[in-house]
Amino acid sequence: MTADVAIIGQGYVGLPLAKEATAVGLKVLGYDVSQRVVDGLNAGKSHVDDLSDQDIATMIEGGFRATTDPSELGQAKTIVICVPTPLSEDGGPDLGPVNSAVAAIAENLRPGMLIILESTTYPGTTDEVVRPVLEAGGLKAGEDFFLAFSPERIDPGNEKYGAKNTPKVVGGHTPVDTEKAAEFYGQFVDTVVRTKGTREAETAKLLENTYRHINIALVNEMARFCHDLDIDLWDVIEAAKTKPFGFQAFYPGPGVGGHCIPIDPNYLSYNVRAKLGYPFRFVELAQEINATMPAYVVQRAQNLLNETSKALKGSTVLLLGVTYKPNIADQRESPAVPLAQQLIAKGAEVQFHDPRVEEWFGVADAAQKIGDADLERAISEADITILVQKHREYDIDALAGLSQAFLDTSGKAQDGDKVERL
């Protein structure tokens, strides 16, 4: 089968992209190194929050197929790389998955192919890392094949914006490459935004997430001193956001999670230090502030227990919602993990409940899972309950009313004798 597009990586980015491409009649090949993922997809089973089993079945009916065979990449007219780029030990991006994907493409590269990198990374990756490997066989980017970068902008769990209606930024190795990529995405994305080149497209994604990272750090720091000054920050934000210009509301929380906010700004900081020799101080300070929020939540919980003459050591602490954001099952970089680890280190007995999590990775052996049927009893018996993520399944005020003490990191609970908001 000749594929219109092969998408490398069938996770939270690649699979929604495959869905939209299939919906307009493109023949899509989904490539992944995980046999489990591929077998599940070919059996019509989804493993990401935003797609149902029915979505996968519809995709298969439209010609979608998944494979672990890299030789099949040679059948595709366009190849899109959607693999993860975690942080390495030195704080830079781990390009191992990207390098593996590019090597597989290089072995199957044909004249006329369009290659697009979507994986978030530092500026220059497309031109300095991807292009030399692809050109090693003699074909030239912009002449024999086409090369572009288009940052992924998937927001898991977002019910308003998805792959189709989120504007797609594209930047090519040459203007011709840019137009080829824009033409490809224009088939199934409502709006395509062109940049001058690959570096501008790479940096645009980092700017977006650095902006969020820094502003989240700002309100997280304000949460601390507003609490000490007896100022209701949540009320402050509600008042400030009534201004119709010049302000965007950000909210404090137990820490940042997911693949983007805690990781992507570090790519930019790493690149600035490596290439220019000086720090990106805004990013590094924001990282420092956001990384300390789990410890701050522990401190606030300890203070609440002290008010009832209880020590944190030996107390039962129930965590509600352990994913990295509400209404999804994704646990990547969830701040609930360091929160639980620090509670356990201080001698607390940690329990957790999450309607979307079967197994909590990272602290599964040290935290007791509470089932749905036992939730109300567990809340009433726990010395303190901490709402980490406000899943829609939670009636926050009802749960707070059952608790002995309730620390709400979401700011949604009504004030009360037993309730304290972050």
Side-chain angles (χ1 to χ4, degrees), residues 5-10 15 18 28-32 38 41-42 64-68 73:
V5 55
I7 300 173
I8 300 179
Q10 292 296 286
L15 201 54
V28 180
L29 180 69
Y31 173 83
D32 201 282
V38 166
L41 290 174
N42 286 332
F64 171 81
R65 183 172 60 86
T67 183
T68 57
L73 297 174

Side-chain angles (χ1 to χ4, degrees), residues 17 24 36 43 46 53 75 140 143 171 196 212 252-253 293 298 300 352 361 366 384 402 422:
L17 185 69
V24 297
R36 177 186 60 82
S46 175
D53 290 350
Q75 304 171 1
K140 297 299 180 184
E143 299 176 12
K196 287 185 175 180
R212 291 174 62 198
M293 287 307 292
V298 172
R300 291 285 296 273
F352 77 96
F361 306 114
I384 186 170
L402 295 170
L422 192 62

Side-chain angles (χ1 to χ4, degrees), residues 387-419:
L387 179 66
V388 184
Q389 298 299 347
K390 55 181 189 299
H391 293 312
R392 63 171 62 94
E393 289 88 349
Y394 291 143
D395 183 337
I396 296 173
D397 289 329
L399 296 178
L402 295 170
S403 69
Q404 296 184 39
F406 195 87
L407 178 57
D408 174 19
T409 71
S410 76
K412 296 298 183 182
Q414 296 295 317
D415 290 332
D417 293 339
K418 299 184 296 183
V419 178

Side-chain angles (χ1 to χ4, degrees), residues 8-318:
I8 300 179
Q10 292 296 286
Y12 282 88
V13 176
L15 201 54
L17 185 69
K19 174 180 177 289
E20 297 303 334
T22 305
V24 297
L26 297 183
K27 299 300 181 184
V28 180
L29 180 69
Y31 173 83
D32 201 282
V33 296
S34 170
Q35 191 67 54
R36 177 186 60 82
V37 167
V38 166
D39 290 344
L41 290 174
N42 286 332
K45 301 296 183 182
S46 175
H47 61 281
V48 303
D49 290 292
D50 293 337
L51 275 73
S52 65
D53 290 350
Q54 182 56 55
D55 288 327
I56 305 302
T58 301
M59 291 166 60
I60 292 172
E61 291 173 5
F64 171 81
R65 183 172 60 86
T67 183
T68 57
D69 182 0
S71 68
E72 294 196 52
L73 297 174
Q75 304 171 1
K77 300 174 184 177
T78 297
I79 301 177
V80 184
I81 303 171
C82 300
V83 297
T85 46
L87 289 179
S88 62
E89 292 184 0
D90 64 358
D94 177 0
L95 294 181
V98 171
N99 290 332
S100 295
V102 174
I105 295 170
E107 292 180 359
N108 297 279
L109 188 64
R110 294 183 291 101
M113 273 186 170
L114 168 63
I115 312 300
I116 304 172
L117 176 64
E118 284 205 7
S119 304
T120 306
T121 184
Y122 62 85
T125 301
T126 307
D127 188 56
E128 299 168 6
V129 177
V130 176
R131 184 170 64 87
V133 175
L134 296 180
E135 291 185 336
L139 299 179
K140 297 299 180 184
E143 299 176 12
D144 304 307
F145 69 94
F146 307 99
L147 178 63
F149 181 83
S150 180
E152 59 90 358
R153 284 172 152 180
I154 294 295
D155 182 19
N158 193 317
E159 298 177 354
K160 183 177 181 180
Y161 292 106
K164 177 175 171 49
N165 64 348
T166 301
K168 204 78 176 77
V169 171
V170 298
H173 174 60
T174 71
V176 173
D177 300 66
T178 299
E179 291 307 314
K180 289 288 184 180
E183 180 182 345
F184 166 71
Y185 285 116
Q187 297 174 90
F188 54 88
V189 177
D190 294 343
T191 305
V192 177
V193 180
R194 297 161 175 80
T195 64
K196 287 185 175 180
T198 57
R199 281 176 169 80
E200 286 75 15
E202 290 162 339
T203 308
K205 172 61 184 293
L206 299 182
L207 175 60
E208 293 169 16
N209 286 336
T210 299
Y211 169 82
R212 291 174 62 198
H213 186 53
I214 289 171
N215 280 281
I216 291 170
L218 171 63
V219 293
N220 277 338
E221 184 139 38
M222 288 190 71
R224 300 182 185 222
F225 70 71
C226 281
H227 175 70
D228 291 340
L229 295 173
D230 197 23
I231 297 169
D232 187 336
L233 176 60
W234 304 95
D235 192 52
V236 170
I237 295 171
E238 288 302 304
K241 75 178 188 181
T242 62
K243 186 177 181 180
F245 54 88
F247 180 82
Q248 180 181 354
F250 288 83
Y251 299 91
V256 293
H259 183 265
C260 292
I261 303 304
I263 294 178
D264 293 359
N266 290 308
Y267 298 160
L268 197 52
S269 176
Y270 174 85
N271 195 234
V272 169
R273 276 191 178 273
K275 291 194 172 183
L276 302 178
Y278 53 79
F280 191 169
R281 290 183 292 173
F282 263 122
V283 168
E284 295 179 7
L285 179 58
Q287 182 69 17
E288 177 185 330
I289 293 169
N290 288 334
T292 61
M293 287 307 292
Y296 177 65
V297 174
V298 172
Q299 176 191 326
R300 291 285 296 273
Q302 193 166 19
N303 292 344
L304 272 175
L305 288 169
N306 285 342
E307 291 177 7
T308 57
S309 301
K310 294 180 180 179
L312 180 58
K313 184 176 182 179
S315 289
T316 298
V317 181
L318 174 60

